[in-house]
Amino acid sequence: MISDINQLIEKVLIDEDTLNLRIRKLSSYINDYYKDEDTLIMVGILKGSVIFMSELAKHVKIDCNLEFMAVSSYDGTESTGNVKILKDLDVDIKDKNVLLVEDIIDTGYTLNKLKSNLEKRDPKEVRIITLLDKPERRVTEIKPDWYGFKIPNEFVVGFGLDYSQKYRNLPFIGVLKSSVYESDNK
């Protein structure tokens, strides 16, 4: 059980209703873009994208396969830039439309390397959709094709995003109080 949320969350950045409305809008973009395609492979990046991808997929009107990859590139609150694939795709993506589904693009290291890896597998195309875009922290040239919200450089949790595997189940995006993670780094 999540103890007193007010001791953990500095503020709610994006509430549940706003998230759901935006996800429906994003799904309409996906439906329009892929309307003439037979199928789409949605690739969720575990674990953070699961809630976003689930909500998005409920509103996608074309046939889609849901696939997952697990990668590791973070140490605490910072990206190391060293991307390791822990779980790869279970399907061949050659000549297929691939939509990478991410919870947040921060530095861009992980997604840049992952997209490059997938493009070497000869898909028809690889596009990116992310719930949150934090361009202020970007150190690579990667940009999402679609994004839910641009956010400031604050540490956020909820709706799939975590801190030390906690707080993913919050139904909103909240800014985590720095005292929560600073105490862990001492």
Side-chain angles (χ1 to χ4, degrees):
M1 179 196 239
I2 297 175
S3 58
D4 187 9
I5 200 71
N6 294 323
Q7 293 179 2
L8 305 171
I9 303 298
E10 184 176 312
K11 65 183 174 186
V12 173
L13 193 61
I14 308 166
D15 65 58
E16 185 174 8
D17 289 339
T18 304
L19 283 165
N20 289 328
L21 284 171
R22 182 65 179 152
I23 291 168
R24 282 190 179 95
K25 186 66 172 172
L26 289 171
S27 67
S28 72
Y29 298 151
I30 301 305
N31 291 329
D32 287 344
Y33 185 81
Y34 293 105
K35 68 181 176 221
D36 297 325
E37 300 296 328
D38 292 333
T39 190
L40 172 66
I41 299 175
M42 295 175 69
V43 178
I45 311 306
L46 294 173
K47 299 176 184 170
S49 72
V50 170
I51 295 173
F52 172 48
M53 185 163 140
S54 296
E55 291 300 312
L56 185 68
K58 287 191 319 190
H59 304 286
V60 171
K61 304 295 183 206
I62 63 167
D63 185 30
C64 62
N65 296 344
L66 304 182
E67 290 292 325
F68 295 94
M69 293 182 79
V71 296
S72 173
S73 67
Y74 272 78
D75 183 18
T77 61
E78 295 296 320
S79 177
T80 64
N82 182 21
V83 178
K84 292 182 256 181
I85 294 177
L86 306 175
K87 184 214 176 296
D88 209 338
L89 295 175
D90 294 329
V91 297
D92 182 9
I93 61 170
K94 183 174 174 51
D95 300 322
K96 303 281 192 320
N97 290 301
V98 175
L99 180 62
L100 274 171
V101 182
E102 184 64 289
D103 55 353
I104 187 169
I105 302 177
D106 193 346
T107 63
Y109 280 132
T110 303
L111 213 47
N112 192 38
K113 291 189 178 185
L114 195 53
K115 184 178 182 189
S116 176
N117 177 293
L118 293 177
E119 286 173 337
K120 292 176 185 171
R121 302 178 194 196
D122 297 321
K124 186 172 183 179
E125 74 173 353
V126 177
R127 296 243 176 217
I128 297 169
I129 189 167
T130 186
L131 180 60
L132 304 176
D133 187 14
K134 197 188 288 186
E136 193 177 324
R137 296 251 311 154
R138 195 86 77 248
V139 294
T140 65
E141 292 296 318
I142 198 144
K143 291 181 182 173
D145 295 285
W146 301 279
Y147 64 89
F149 304 90
K150 285 195 179 187
I151 64 167
N153 187 18
E154 296 181 290
F155 195 86
V156 292
V157 294
F159 213 79
L161 292 104
D162 74 300
Y163 171 66
S164 291
Q165 300 301 321
K166 297 177 188 172
Y167 319 122
R168 289 187 197 277
N169 60 317
L170 297 174
F172 56 83
I173 303 292
V175 176
L176 190 64
K177 286 185 177 178
S178 60
S179 59
V180 175
Y181 54 87
E182 286 173 353
S183 66
D184 288 350
N185 293 332
K186 290 182 180 177

